[in-house]
Amino acid sequence: MKYIYKAVAFFLLVSVMVGCGSSFEKERQAAKERQKQQAKMDAEALKIGMLPTLDCLPFYVANEEQLFDTAAHIRIKAYDSQIDADAAMTSKKIEGCVTDIVRAQRMIRRGMPLHYITTTNAYWQLISSRSARLTQLKQLEDKMIAMTRFSVTDYLSDLAVDSAKLKQEMVFRVQINDPNIRLRMLLNKEMDAVLLPEPQATTARLFKNPVLMDSKQKNLQMGAVVMREELLKDKRRQEQLQALVKGYNAACDSINKKGVAHYASLIMQYTKADDRTVKALPKTTFHHAAPPAESDMVKADKWLK
């Protein structure tokens, strides 16, 4: 009798093992199928890289308030710096990104044709460390400026040095790509001066760090949003671009009507600014999508030569 029991037990054990193996295989196949579908959806989506800067706010608002046509499958992806966004563009992980005209023109020169979707209202301020006691550009000699190479901040650092009639080699440029790290280095007295966009510039001013130069006073509008030009050959991508611009414009209208402070939580979430900074932000108007001025592109190209 005990042999019968053993045989039954063995049969049940084998059955359970076969059943478990079958369930595992089904789950594995289902997971592979889900992964495949996700990859397909991601490839079809229009992905735009964002930076932790205030000029990206219309995209964050459009995404949060569902102003993008859902059928267009538009996604925004946050990056800490232009370098990270550029790398994603180069590897074709994203279709477009927020950048500046200097950097965009350089990417074009390096073999990546780009389409300008719009300029942005971004501006940059050269802010010195309060402890360094720098109040004039001419005091930058033998000092360090934090910026990003081959970008508008690099261009502006040259402009500052030239304005002060200093020799370029007597001012040290330090590449710090993340604007939040640049801000932190300024506040920690690790850098003599930094170039900052908003909202980081407002934080720096709140801590009584002097503004030495403002790009707004240089008749420059260098913020930009670009996408890979090759994508415009595809009808689906053209439709997505139209949906992107429509949602962006609607978000600009919403921000201009309600005010930047209305979106304080979004600003804090994506830029890492604190509540005090958001409350101190200057009045900001966001314009509808428009191409860059030819004069700004010429200035960028001339500097890149």
Side-chain angles (χ1 to χ4, degrees), residues 51-88:
L51 301 174
T53 53
L54 191 62
D55 59 324
C56 294
L57 183 59
F59 289 101
Y60 296 135
V61 170
N63 187 62
E64 182 75 14
E65 299 191 347
Q66 298 181 337
L67 299 178
F68 294 132
D69 184 350
T70 53
H73 296 282
I74 294 169
R75 297 180 185 175
I76 61 172
K77 290 184 171 288
Y79 294 92
D80 291 331
S81 70
Q82 287 180 316
I83 296 291
D84 295 335
D86 287 357

Side-chain angles (χ1 to χ4, degrees), residues 101-109 149-151 154-155 297-305:
I101 292 175
V102 174
R103 198 150 189 88
Q105 290 299 105
R106 183 171 185 266
M107 283 193 279
I108 292 170
R109 283 168 170 265
R149 290 185 67 211
F150 305 116
S151 76
D154 199 358
Y155 168 75
M297 296 173 69
V298 168
K299 288 173 185 175
D301 284 332
K302 185 178 178 180
W303 181 80
L304 286 166
K305 288 179 182 177

Side-chain angles (χ1 to χ4, degrees), residues 31 50 62 70 85 92 109-110 220 225 251 258 262 280 301:
M50 299 286 113
T70 53
K92 298 187 177 181
R109 283 168 170 265
R110 290 169 65 86
L220 296 169
V225 186
K258 298 176 182 177
H262 180 80
D301 284 332

Side-chain angles (χ1 to χ4, degrees), residues 223-261:
V225 186
V226 298
M227 68 183 291
R228 301 200 311 274
E229 194 174 74
E230 67 191 60
L231 301 172
L232 296 178
K233 298 175 183 177
D234 186 277
K235 185 179 178 181
R236 168 66 174 166
R237 294 302 192 189
Q238 292 177 15
E239 293 171 350
Q240 288 177 311
L241 176 57
Q242 291 174 0
L244 179 78
V245 170
K246 184 178 179 180
Y248 177 88
N249 290 343
C252 288
D253 291 339
S254 182
I255 299 167
N256 292 339
K257 180 180 179 180
K258 298 176 182 177
V260 170

Side-chain angles (χ1 to χ4, degrees), residues 26-273:
K26 286 181 181 179
E27 180 57 35
R28 192 175 73 85
Q29 289 297 330
K32 284 183 66 176
E33 187 60 32
R34 287 194 298 270
Q35 195 175 40
K36 184 178 177 181
Q37 287 297 321
Q38 184 62 42
K40 183 174 183 294
M41 289 174 62
D42 192 60
E44 292 175 350
L46 182 68
K47 302 170 289 297
I48 306 294
M50 299 286 113
L51 301 174
T53 53
L54 191 62
D55 59 324
C56 294
L57 183 59
F59 289 101
Y60 296 135
V61 170
N63 187 62
E64 182 75 14
E65 299 191 347
Q66 298 181 337
L67 299 178
F68 294 132
D69 184 350
T70 53
H73 296 282
I74 294 169
R75 297 180 185 175
I76 61 172
K77 290 184 171 288
Y79 294 92
D80 291 331
S81 70
Q82 287 180 316
I83 296 291
D84 295 335
D86 287 357
M89 283 272 283
T90 302
S91 61
K92 298 187 177 181
K93 291 181 180 179
I94 56 176
E95 285 65 52
C97 68
V98 174
T99 184
D100 64 68
I101 292 175
V102 174
R103 198 150 189 88
Q105 290 299 105
R106 183 171 185 266
M107 283 193 279
I108 292 170
R109 283 168 170 265
R110 290 169 65 86
M112 183 187 291
L114 297 175
H115 168 74
Y116 281 95
I117 298 172
T118 183
T119 54
T120 73
N121 66 347
Y123 62 89
W124 293 261
Q125 292 184 331
L126 177 59
I127 302 178
S128 65
S129 171
R130 182 181 174 186
S131 63
R133 298 182 180 179
L134 304 177
T135 58
Q136 300 178 62
L137 292 175
K138 65 182 181 181
Q139 295 174 303
L140 287 171
E141 187 170 345
D142 293 328
K143 298 297 187 292
M144 296 185 296
I145 300 177
M147 36 60 79
T148 297
R149 290 185 67 211
F150 305 116
S151 76
V152 68
T153 56
D154 199 358
Y155 168 75
L156 289 170
S157 68
D158 272 4
L159 206 60
V161 174
D162 288 341
S163 298
K165 298 181 180 179
L166 298 173
K167 292 181 179 180
Q168 289 290 338
E169 63 270 19
M170 295 306 294
V171 180
F172 306 104
R173 262 56 70 93
V174 182
Q175 178 158 321
I176 308 295
N177 298 317
D178 187 327
N180 282 317
I181 293 178
R182 287 205 293 268
L183 171 62
R184 196 152 59 242
M185 292 181 75
L186 179 76
L187 299 182
N188 290 339
K189 304 175 184 179
E190 299 172 280
M191 198 61 58
D192 297 311
V194 299
L195 277 148
L196 295 174
E198 292 291 4
Q200 291 82 8
T202 292
T203 304
R205 294 194 305 272
L206 284 173
F207 282 90
K208 308 300 182 184
N209 294 292
V211 176
L212 303 183
M213 191 178 79
D214 191 328
S215 68
K216 288 184 295 184
Q217 298 171 354
K218 300 296 181 180
N219 193 29
L220 296 169
Q221 189 170 6
M222 288 291 190
V225 186
V226 298
M227 68 183 291
R228 301 200 311 274
E229 194 174 74
E230 67 191 60
L231 301 172
L232 296 178
K233 298 175 183 177
D234 186 277
K235 185 179 178 181
R236 168 66 174 166
R237 294 302 192 189
Q238 292 177 15
E239 293 171 350
Q240 288 177 311
L241 176 57
Q242 291 174 0
L244 179 78
V245 170
K246 184 178 179 180
Y248 177 88
N249 290 343
C252 288
D253 291 339
S254 182
I255 299 167
N256 292 339
K257 180 180 179 180
K258 298 176 182 177
V260 170
H262 180 80
Y263 296 101
S265 60
L266 275 181
I267 296 171
M268 290 189 285
Q269 177 184 348
Y270 287 104
T271 70
K272 302 175 184 176

Side-chain angles (χ1 to χ4, degrees), residues 1-7:
M1 195 69 173
K2 67 178 180 179
Y3 295 111
I4 296 176
Y5 288 146
K6 287 183 179 180

